[in-house]
Amino acid sequence: MHGPASSGWLLVALCAATGAYCLLRMRSHVAEQRRAAGGEALMGFGMAVMAVPAAVFTPPAWAWPALAVVFGAAGLHALWAARTGVRHLHHLVGAGAMVYMAVAMAASTGKGHGHGGAGVPLLTGSLLLYFVAYVLATGVRLVPVAAVAGGGRETGWGDRPELARACRLSMGIAMVAMLLTM
C-alpha cells in the first residue's frame, strides 16, 4: 500500500495466505462456518490486492471503485446476516473499512499525489481503535485452555476454531497495518 515495498509484500503474503486458508475452511461440514469462511476469504484476498506496494504496481483507475463496489456488496450481505446474530457486525465493519480505504485510495490517486495522507483522520482513527481492540480481544481468546478429555470426533482443517481465530487475528492485524499507512 503506502509503506516500504518489503513490508507491503509481507502484508500481501499474509493476506493471501489467510484468504487461501479461509478457502480451505469452506470445506467444513457446518454451513455457518462455510459462509463465514467465504466472507473471510473475500476479505483476505481483497486486502492482499489492496496491500500491493504502490511503488511496484499502480492499479488501473477502475480498480479502486470496483473494490469499493465488491466490498459494499459484502457489507450489505453482512448487514442482512446481522439479523440472525451480532457476530456478523464485525464483517460489516470490516467491509465498511475496505470500502472506505478503496474510496480514499481512488480519491488520492485522482489528485495526482501519492497514497499518504488519504482518508478522513477521525474515521481512520475510529477504525484503528476498533481493529486494535478486536485484535487484542481475539488474541486473548487464542490463549490455550485445558483440553477436554474425549473431545468427540476428529475435526478437519475447516472445523478447527483456533485456526479460524488465528485467521481472523491475522486479518485484523493486517487491517491495522493498512489503516496506519493511510
Side-chain angles (χ1 to χ4, degrees), residues 34-117:
R34 283 193 306 269
R35 280 190 293 275
E40 291 165 1
L42 174 68
M43 185 69 70
F45 288 127
M47 290 172 69
V49 168
M50 291 180 85
V52 173
V56 175
F57 174 72
T58 303
W62 57 265
W64 300 119
L67 283 171
V69 168
V70 166
F71 285 104
L76 289 175
H77 182 268
L79 182 62
W80 181 257
R83 297 174 305 120
T84 62
V86 295
R87 66 189 175 279
H88 297 286
L89 292 177
H90 171 71
H91 292 169
L92 177 63
V93 173
M98 293 294 284
V99 169
Y100 167 65
M101 287 189 291
V103 168
M105 297 309 294
S108 71
T109 56
K111 294 178 182 174
H113 54 76
H115 296 296

Side-chain angles (χ1 to χ4, degrees), residues 4-177:
S6 60
S7 61
W9 285 118
L10 288 173
L11 192 58
V12 169
L14 173 70
C15 294
T18 301
Y21 174 70
C22 289
L23 286 179
L24 287 176
R25 285 183 39 229
M26 288 181 68
R27 296 175 35 199
S28 172
H29 298 292
V30 180
E32 180 63 27
Q33 289 180 14
R34 283 193 306 269
R35 280 190 293 275
E40 291 165 1
L42 174 68
M43 185 69 70
F45 288 127
M47 290 172 69
V49 168
M50 291 180 85
V52 173
V56 175
F57 174 72
T58 303
W62 57 265
W64 300 119
L67 283 171
V69 168
V70 166
F71 285 104
L76 289 175
H77 182 268
L79 182 62
W80 181 257
R83 297 174 305 120
T84 62
V86 295
R87 66 189 175 279
H88 297 286
L89 292 177
H90 171 71
H91 292 169
L92 177 63
V93 173
M98 293 294 284
V99 169
Y100 167 65
M101 287 189 291
V103 168
M105 297 309 294
S108 71
T109 56
K111 294 178 182 174
H113 54 76
H115 296 296
V120 179
L122 182 61
L123 183 54
T124 303
S126 298
L127 287 169
L128 266 170
L129 286 175
Y130 172 81
F131 281 104
V132 166
Y134 178 79
V135 163
L136 292 173
T138 304
V140 167
R141 280 185 249 141
L142 276 175
V143 173
V145 294
V148 177
R153 69 178 184 95
E154 175 121 359
T155 59
W157 282 101
D159 295 321
R160 305 226 6 219
E162 71 278 7
L163 291 176
R165 282 189 204 110
C167 173
R168 292 179 191 115
L169 177 65
S170 66
M171 284 195 293
I173 292 169
M175 187 67 79
V176 169

